């Protein structure tokens, strides 16, 4: 028999996976990220632990979605004209997304951020052409909070907009219109649970609203919270308590108030978890070792919470969470023995994973 015929017959049985067509530059590449089944954790729990690979957005994080939508919102409302300036207060990832979107659309970008954020984020923002102001980290009710400084900066400029990611519900809309529908399609509508942490509230609220509208009580939604945030106490007491205790190594998540993005949907949340930093740091290293996935602390916290949710719902469920960004933006901390020891976290990493602590 002709060997070419044998080859062609075998090849014809291979399923051809459609590939994306040509996209409209950076902006056209935002969204439609893969949903990854975490094999080891799924086997351990008896449920499918599914993680939305938001680090595969073109700007490297879930915040690319919010960045695009808040700029589009400003354009639709006539708040900015060509050549204008976008100003935002951010812990980093929204700023990075905005810097990319601004370059693609021809706007200037100004970012105010807490000076507690990683140097990698600050450096990247400046490389992307943004004007960056790291300022002391103070509470939201302090007039020197980075968000208030960003607002004042925008008010001093002509043809400028403060995009106000925390209370601009275009952030939430990004996930009602894109992330939520993607999750439903990727799971064939069989998602049983969703859990993630929140900072602005946009991702959690938008996905919650979409999933609950589609499935009602047939899908459960939980909040994952780091130490130092008040949201776990708020959700777990049905809005009676705002208890804050401790602090966390995570960046960009946790909150001291209910933002306008979160407010419309907070009552739809079925429960919450508070995740210790020790569990978060251990999961960072587990995901690297077991799955080959290199993610930051907020992503790892989300995965820990997905495992906890699987215990709540029982075996045989599909639990979805968010891998917010990669570890590249935090590697000088998360993989530094000196830094880990300063946070008393080095011993939380199992002995067989200590080999990944490669920085002094």
């Amino acid at each position: 028999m002709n060997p070419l015929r044998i080859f062609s017959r075998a090849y014809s049985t291979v399923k051809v996976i459609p590939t994306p067509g040509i996209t409209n530059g950076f902006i056209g590449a935002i969204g439609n990220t893969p949903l990854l089944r975490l094999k080891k954790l799924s086997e351990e729990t008896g449920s499918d632990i599914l993680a939305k690979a938001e680090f595969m957005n073109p700007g490297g994080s879930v915040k690319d979605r919010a960045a695009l939508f808040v700029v589009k919102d400003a354009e639709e409302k006539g708040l900015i004209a060509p050549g204008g300036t976008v100003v935002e207060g951010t812990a980093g990832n929204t700023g990075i997304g905005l810097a990319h979107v601004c370059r693609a659309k021809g706007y200037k970008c100004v970012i105010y951020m807490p000076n507690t954020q990683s140097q990698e984020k600050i450096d990247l923002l400046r490389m992307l052409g943004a004007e960056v102001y790291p300022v002391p980290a103070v509470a939201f009710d302090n007039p020197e909070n980075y968000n208030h400084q960003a607002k004042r900066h925008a008010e001093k400029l002509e043809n400028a907009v403060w995009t106000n990611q925390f209370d601009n519900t275009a952030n939430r809309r990004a996930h009602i219109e894109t992330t939520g529908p993607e999750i439903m399609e990727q799971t064939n509508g069989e998602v049983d649970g969703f859990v993630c942490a929140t900072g602005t509230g946009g991702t959690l609220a938008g996905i919650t609203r979409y999933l609950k509208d589609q499935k009602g009580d047939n899908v459960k939604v939980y909040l994952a919270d780091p130490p130092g945030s008040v949201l776990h106490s708020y959700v777990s007491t049905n809005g009676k308590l705002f208890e804050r205790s401790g602090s966390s190594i995570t960046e960009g998540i946790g909150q001291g108030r209910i933002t306008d993005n979160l407010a419309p949907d907070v009552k739809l949340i079925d429960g919450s978890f508070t995740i210790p930093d020790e569990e978060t740091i251990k999961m960072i290293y587990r995901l690297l070792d077991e799955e080959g996935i290199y993610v930051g602390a907020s992503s790892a916290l989300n995965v820990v919470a997905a495992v906890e949710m699987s215990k709540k719902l029982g075996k045989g469920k599909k639990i979805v969470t968010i891998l917010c960004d990669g570890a590249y933006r935090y590697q000088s901390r998360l993989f530094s023995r000196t830094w880990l020891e300063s946070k008393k976290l080095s011993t939380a990493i199992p002995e067989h994973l200590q080999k990944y602590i490669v920085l002094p």
Side-chain angles (χ1 to χ4, degrees), residues 41-98:
L41 292 170
S42 296
E43 291 171 352
E44 285 182 10
T45 61
S47 289
D48 285 331
I49 306 298
L50 307 173
K52 198 88 165 83
E54 291 298 290
F55 60 84
M56 294 181 70
N57 277 303
S61 88
V62 65
K63 293 297 187 177
D64 288 0
R65 297 179 190 257
L68 174 59
F69 270 68
V70 295
V71 172
K72 283 171 57 179
D73 181 69
E75 292 172 333
E76 290 164 2
K77 292 177 177 175
L79 301 176
I80 191 169
T85 302
V86 171
V87 186
E88 185 55 275
T90 167
N93 279 336
T94 302
I96 292 165
L98 282 171

Side-chain angles (χ1 to χ4, degrees), residues 85 87 149-158 160-162:
T85 302
V87 186
Q149 292 201 53
K151 180 182 180 182
R152 292 197 297 268
H153 189 114
E155 289 171 346
K156 294 175 184 176
L157 302 176
E158 291 187 9
V161 62
W162 171 50

Side-chain angles (χ1 to χ4, degrees), residues 94-112:
T94 302
I96 292 165
L98 282 171
H100 279 289
V101 170
C102 286
R103 294 304 335 122
K105 287 178 168 282
Y107 299 126
K108 302 179 185 71
C109 185
V110 176
I111 300 297
Y112 280 78

Side-chain angles (χ1 to χ4, degrees), residues 310-330:
S310 73
K311 297 174 185 176
K312 283 269 188 184
L313 299 188
K315 294 184 177 182
K317 306 297 185 183
K318 285 183 168 60
I319 313 296
V320 176
T321 193
I322 302 291
L323 298 180
C324 314
D325 61 8
Y328 305 98
R329 295 173 182 177
Y330 319 93

Side-chain angles (χ1 to χ4, degrees), residues 172 175-176 179-180 183 194-196 201-216 219-223 261-262 264-270:
R172 168 179 174 267
H175 300 285
I176 295 175
T179 326
I183 289 169
F194 176 76
V195 61
C196 77
T203 304
L204 178 63
I207 294 173
T208 295
R209 171 58 63 180
Y210 184 84
L211 294 181
K212 288 290 189 177
D213 281 351
Q214 298 299 309
K215 300 197 64 172
V219 61
K220 299 299 181 185
V221 176
Y222 273 60
L223 161 77
N261 277 295
L262 186 57
D265 307 301
V266 69
K267 296 298 184 183
L268 298 177
I269 297 171
D270 297 292

Side-chain angles (χ1 to χ4, degrees), residues 94-147:
T94 302
I96 292 165
L98 282 171
H100 279 289
V101 170
C102 286
R103 294 304 335 122
K105 287 178 168 282
Y107 299 126
K108 302 179 185 71
C109 185
V110 176
I111 300 297
Y112 280 78
M113 64 192 304
N115 60 7
T116 54
Q117 304 306 293
S118 67
Q119 190 62 41
E120 288 95 334
K121 285 183 182 177
I122 297 170
D123 292 342
L124 178 55
L125 281 165
R126 288 174 173 154
M127 289 174 200
L128 290 169
E131 193 176 320
V132 185
Y133 295 92
V135 298
V138 295
F140 183 79
D141 57 7
N142 187 317
E144 295 308 306
N145 177 274
Y146 62 100
N147 289 292

